[in-house]
Amino acid sequence: MTTMTIALEIQVEELRAELRNADAAERCQIKAELELAEAELAAAIAELEGTIDAAPPL
């Protein structure tokens, strides 16, 4: 794990906690933020494992 993945894991956990306590108006926005953070974490882990190449195609 790197500092970036640890920070993303913390962000995901914080968003999950917020989602549990959110009212209906906040839920949609928090859910979208959570999905984005989860996708960023998955991409970071895949890059570390070498299953994807983060460099843009030429």
Side-chain angles (χ1 to χ4, degrees):
M1 290 287 162
T2 67
T3 303
M4 184 175 84
T5 56
I6 293 169
L8 285 168
E9 287 177 346
I10 291 168
Q11 182 182 10
V12 166
E13 290 305 315
E14 289 174 350
L15 287 167
R16 286 180 180 154
E18 285 182 35
L19 190 58
R20 283 191 293 272
N21 300 315
D23 61 26
E26 297 172 318
R27 232 173 143 62
C28 187
Q29 180 178 349
I30 294 171
K31 203 171 186 180
E33 290 176 21
L34 177 58
E35 289 175 4
L36 179 61
E38 289 173 330
E40 288 176 2
L41 178 58
I45 291 171
E47 184 180 354
L48 285 173
E49 293 175 345
T51 55
I52 65 166
D53 184 7
L58 297 178

